[in-house]
Amino acid sequence: GYTAVQIEAYRWFASGQIELSKKDYTNALTAFNKSQEVMPNSALPFFGLGNTYLANQQLQDALKLYQKAIRNDRKLSMAYKKLGDTQRLLSKDKEAIAAYKSAIQLGYKTPETRYWLATLMLENKQIEAGLKEREEVVKEMPRPEVYISIGKGYEKLKRDVSAIEAYLKAIEVDPNSSVAYYKLANV
């Protein structure tokens, strides 16, 4: 049920995705721009362009393109996630928190998205909410760095017993984690 124009646009978009996966940013940009020319009201070409600029560390350009993608499709959850990543890299923590929350609200509930949301919350004095999110993330990502960040959050709240428990869990997951041993010794 697609028109020839739509098929052409999707073909260019797919080509851009392939070039991006090969880290051929020049060809990816060309393909996504062609897709955007054919489908100027679609969010996908802008999202693809944003991904290309983000991969190439052109953060301001990526930011603008993710915002365009979201203007074209307010429900494109993965664009909110990537917008949050870009804002985090630009040290725009409050904006990144809002973008990650939007992504999660729209169904993009990956452990990575929730991990970065919790990280920013913990760094921005939203400690209780950040810890709650981190406790959920650790169920899916039982990594030492997640337990260590939980421990740091508990330290900020002056809850040393909970911090010790988190650091011990980090050591249980990775007995060679020097950071976990160091943090445990400090508490």
Side-chain angles (χ1 to χ4, degrees), residues 111 114 132-143 146-147 150:
R114 293 183 0 257
K132 183 179 177 188
E133 190 67 44
R134 221 9 101 76
E135 294 284 356
E136 290 300 313
V137 170
V138 81
K139 293 174 186 174
E140 295 175 54
M141 277 177 43
R143 296 185 187 156
V146 180
Y147 284 113
I150 290 170

Side-chain angles (χ1 to χ4, degrees), residues 53-184:
Y53 283 116
L54 179 61
N56 206 22
Q57 298 299 310
Q58 294 174 281
L59 301 178
Q60 290 296 335
D61 292 323
L63 183 72
K64 291 174 188 171
L65 288 157
Y66 291 133
Q67 290 169 335
K68 278 186 179 182
I70 290 167
R71 277 196 298 276
N72 284 358
D73 184 352
R74 296 264 178 217
K75 294 183 180 182
L76 188 62
S77 60
M78 59 190 170
Y80 284 99
K81 194 275 187 193
K82 290 292 193 167
L83 177 65
D85 291 344
T86 306
Q87 290 167 326
R88 176 177 49 82
L89 293 170
L90 289 167
S91 298
K92 296 181 176 192
D93 292 355
K94 289 181 183 176
E95 294 89 342
I97 288 170
Y100 286 136
K101 283 182 177 180
S102 293
I104 292 166
Q105 214 170 27
L106 291 168
Y108 203 85
K109 300 176 183 182
T110 66
E112 181 192 12
T113 305
R114 293 183 0 257
Y115 174 86
W116 285 115
L117 172 61
T119 298
L120 291 174
M121 291 172 128
L122 289 169
E123 291 172 2
N124 288 277
K125 299 180 179 143
Q126 299 177 32
I127 298 168
E128 292 286 348
L131 279 171
K132 183 179 177 188
E133 190 67 44
R134 221 9 101 76
E135 294 284 356
E136 290 300 313
V137 170
V138 81
K139 293 174 186 174
E140 295 175 54
M141 277 177 43
R143 296 185 187 156
E145 63 269 16
V146 180
Y147 284 113
I148 290 168
S149 67
I150 290 170
K152 288 178 186 178
Y154 283 126
E155 279 189 75
K156 287 179 183 180
L157 294 174
K158 309 269 190 249
R159 292 173 51 190
D160 291 346
V161 173
S162 296
I164 289 169
E165 289 173 0
Y167 296 138
L168 287 172
K169 287 180 183 175
I171 292 167
E172 183 180 314
V173 172
D174 181 6
N176 297 318
S177 175
S178 58
V179 174
Y181 282 107
Y182 175 78
K183 298 299 287 178
L184 178 62

